[in-house]
DNA sequence: TCTGGGGTCCTAGGACCC
DNA sequence: TCTGGGGTCCTAGGACCC
């Protein structure tokens, strides 16, 4: 049997900010877009627990957060700070894990089956991890321990902030049954709503549906996920390193725009930043996708696949602008994005026939 | 309430090849 | 003249995660 641990840093961005700015402590702190006195654009990235008392939550429009908590401290995210802090923490976690899967800046899965061997030792490891992160980084985390990633993640979420929750094989059913379906990784607002319309709200409800029923309603992949998740089954491995599938940048304008120069200049800028990352990763891409969001929030993507992989900035700029010209409607644009994918590691040599 | 920006994965139709 | 099926690639859209 496996022993899987999920470590989740508590209110990570906000906690990093509090650490760097002790004057923020004890006050509601919101990391995200500039509220601009209630007219700003964007959302809350993270807030501390003080701000949560006002009802502020992650992904909430910043204007709404501002109404709920006008006297809060609002700061822009400082990603270099979070990235550096996260990298040091992942280094700590790596020492304790047979296998480590980084699942974002603020969370990771650890396979500790071999090194722990039992839930008792796994708990001791979790305590050591918490202690080391607190001493070295002045940050707290929540830990879930179980037999797979699905339940470990649900467990880490169970006693936040700062808790350690263990769910053994025998306890899985009682642990998941009362939880809402939304706690399943992969179930978002749409699937939750659809299930609700079917009279399904908790995992216990979900477990009553047959596999056939679920696959008919939700398709092969999601149907299977729901069927297994409702039974606490998750065979997925802790994966050490994931390959990069796509690289891109997008930008929401301060004000919706139909100024073509502004849009084209933005494509240039986004392309340049995208290529910077592409060069760092030493990859060559074949497919270019642009994303357009209109003022009424309708969003479209358009892509073109090249004959030969490239990492060339001019090619990206030209193709991105071609795609824009070909597809853009006569409406104000809210967001524009550029993304590249379909990677290979080498620039494919031109065919010998060309000689 | 009016919805960021970085991504991943899945679906489905059509083209094209064998 | 009409009709196969499988596999792969491309394109567009959508749900979801942190």
């Amino acid at each position: 049997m496996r022993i899987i641990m999920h470590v989740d840093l508590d209110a990570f961005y906000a906690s990093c900010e509090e650490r760097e700015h002790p004057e923020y402590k004890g006050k509601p702190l919101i990391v995200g877009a500039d509220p601009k006195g209630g007219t700003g654009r964007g959302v809350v990235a993270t807030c501390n627990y003080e701000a949560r008392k006002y009802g502020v939550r992650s992904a909430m429009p910043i204007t709404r957060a501002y109404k709920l908590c006008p006297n809060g401290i609002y700061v822009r995210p400082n990603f270099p700070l979070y990235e550096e802090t996260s990298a040091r923490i992942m280094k700590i976690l790596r020492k304790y894990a047979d296998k480590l899967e980084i699942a974002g800046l603020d969370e990771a899965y650890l396979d500790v089956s071999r090194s722990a061997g039992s839930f008792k030792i796994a708990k001791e490891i979790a305590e050591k991890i918490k202690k080391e992160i607190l001493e070295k980084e002045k940050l707290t985390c929540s830990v879930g321990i179980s037999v797979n990633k699905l339940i470990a993640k649900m467990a880490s979420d169970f006693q936040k902030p700062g808790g350690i929750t263990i769910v053994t094989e025998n306890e899985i059913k009682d642990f998941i049954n009362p939880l809402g379906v939304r706690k399943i990784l992969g179930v978002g607002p749409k699937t939750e709503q659809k299930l609700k319309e079917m009279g399904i709200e908790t995992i216990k409800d979900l477990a009553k549906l047959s596999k056939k029923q679920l696959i008919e309603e939700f398709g092969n992949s999601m149907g299977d996920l729901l069927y297994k998740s409702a039974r606490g089954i998750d065979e997925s491995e802790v994966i050490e390193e994931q390959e990069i599938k796509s690289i891109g940048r997008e930008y929401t304008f301060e004000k919706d725009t139909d100024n073509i120069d502004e849009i084209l200049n933005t494509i240039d800028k986004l392309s340049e930043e995208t290529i910077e990352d592409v060069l760092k990763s030493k990859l060559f891409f074949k497919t270019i996708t642009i994303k357009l969001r209109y003022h009424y929030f309708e969003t479209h993507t358009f892509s073109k696949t090249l004959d030969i992989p490239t990492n060339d900035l001019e090619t990206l700029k030209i193709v991105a602008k071609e795609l824009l010209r070909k597809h853009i409607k006569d409406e104000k644009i809210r967001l524009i994005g550029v993304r590249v994918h379909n990677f290979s590691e080498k620039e494919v040599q031109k065919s010998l026939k060309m000689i």
Side-chain angles (χ1 to χ4, degrees):
Chain A
M1 192 187 59
R2 297 187 297 160
I3 302 179
I4 309 296
M5 192 180 289
H6 182 252
V7 176
D8 195 329
L9 294 153
D10 300 320
F12 181 54
Y13 300 174
S15 303
C16 288
E17 296 296 338
E18 284 183 9
R19 182 184 69 182
E20 303 301 312
H21 306 274
E23 68 273 21
Y24 294 165
K25 277 214 168 146
K27 296 175 183 161
L29 173 65
I30 296 99
V31 182
D34 186 346
K36 297 185 174 171
T39 64
R41 250 182 186 186
V43 297
V44 175
T46 324
C47 58
N48 66 2
Y49 282 83
E50 206 58 44
R52 291 182 199 190
K53 291 179 189 166
Y54 293 81
V56 179
R57 294 288 180 274
S58 291
M60 177 181 277
I62 202 74
T63 49
R64 181 159 180 232
Y66 192 76
K67 273 175 200 154
L68 292 167
C69 188
N71 297 317
I73 299 168
Y74 290 83
V75 301
R76 254 34 72 230
N78 177 358
F79 283 105
L81 170 66
Y82 314 146
E83 282 162 9
E84 288 161 19
T85 306
S86 174
R88 288 194 301 269
I89 291 169
M90 295 305 165
K91 219 169 154 183
I92 294 173
L93 297 181
R94 191 161 270 129
K95 290 191 303 187
Y96 294 97
D98 309 337
K99 280 190 284 179
L100 177 75
E101 177 174 334
I102 296 168
L105 289 176
D106 66 340
E107 62 179 275
Y109 295 93
L110 290 74
D111 189 326
V112 294
S113 309
R114 191 183 49 77
S115 49
S118 72
F119 281 105
K120 186 163 173 283
I121 305 286
K123 190 180 181 204
E124 288 170 20
I125 292 175
E127 279 159 356
K128 273 192 209 165
I129 287 172
K130 279 168 61 76
K131 188 163 171 248
E132 189 168 343
I133 293 175
L134 187 61
E135 277 171 6
K136 293 198 171 148
E137 297 294 337
K138 309 281 175 256
L139 295 171
T140 67
C141 60
S142 307
V143 183
I145 304 170
S146 191
V147 299
N148 61 43
K149 287 162 67 177
L150 172 77
I151 307 296
K153 172 140 175 104
M154 287 173 163
S156 73
D157 185 56
F158 194 65
Q159 298 183 71
K160 267 186 178 172
I164 297 178
T165 304
I166 298 170
V167 180
T168 63
E169 184 90 73
N170 293 335
E171 296 166 337
I172 288 180
K173 210 174 165 190
D174 288 338
F175 176 68
I176 62 175
N177 266 346
L179 299 178
V181 290
R182 188 61 200 277
K183 295 285 177 186
I184 296 170
L185 194 67
V187 174
K190 301 281 178 181
T191 307
E192 182 187 35
Q193 182 58 34
K194 197 169 161 188
L195 284 167
K196 196 176 173 181
E197 284 162 14
M198 296 165 69
I200 307 295
E201 298 201 19
T202 66
I203 294 184
K204 191 178 179 183
D205 298 336
L206 185 63
K208 288 178 200 149
L209 298 185
S210 70
K211 193 167 191 170
K212 187 164 166 275
Q213 250 175 316
L214 286 167
I215 284 173
E216 268 167 22
E217 283 295 329
F218 298 94
N220 259 313
S221 175
M222 178 63 79
D224 192 59
L225 176 88
L226 292 173
Y227 181 80
K228 286 185 173 153
S229 300
R231 287 153 185 78
I233 297 169
D234 173 22
E235 306 290 355
S236 68
E237 293 286 333
V238 172
I239 305 283
E240 287 268 350
E241 52 185 313
Q242 288 116 263
E243 55 175 337
I244 298 168
K245 297 280 172 59
S246 72
I247 295 173
R249 286 288 186 280
E250 58 187 66
Y251 180 73
T252 297
F253 294 102
E254 298 279 324
K255 262 189 86 200
D256 302 335
T257 183
D258 52 9
N259 180 331
I260 191 67
D261 289 332
E262 188 183 13
I263 297 168
L264 293 175
N265 282 335
T266 305
I267 288 190
D268 282 341
K269 230 180 284 168
L270 297 172
S271 301
E272 283 157 21
E273 291 175 19
T274 299
I275 289 293
E276 265 186 54
D277 278 10
V278 168
L279 293 175
K280 273 185 216 158
S281 67
K282 299 190 169 134
L283 291 169
F284 298 86
F285 55 85
K286 255 183 90 178
T287 308
I288 294 164
T289 301
I290 66 159
K291 177 154 138 184
L292 282 176
R293 177 170 291 153
Y294 292 100
H295 59 95
Y296 44 95
F297 218 73
E298 199 175 275
T299 307
H300 298 271
T301 60
F302 302 102
S303 60
K304 179 171 178 172
T305 299
L306 310 170
D307 293 330
I308 294 172
T310 183
N311 60 2
D312 179 56
L313 173 61
E314 284 312 308
T315 306
L316 175 57
K317 285 181 176 177
I318 289 165
V319 173
K321 289 176 191 173
E322 246 173 45
L323 285 166
L324 178 84
R325 258 192 310 112
K326 195 168 157 197
H327 296 285
I328 194 170
K329 295 190 249 180
D330 188 18
E331 298 274 6
K332 288 200 172 182
I333 294 287
R334 178 185 178 92
L335 169 147
I336 177 97
V338 172
R339 182 161 292 278
V340 299
H341 45 116
N342 210 343
F343 290 126
S344 53
E345 279 170 25
K346 289 204 175 126
E347 206 164 7
V348 172
Q349 298 302 314
K350 284 192 180 121
S351 154
L352 291 172
K353 278 182 270 177
M354 303 282 288
I355 294 171

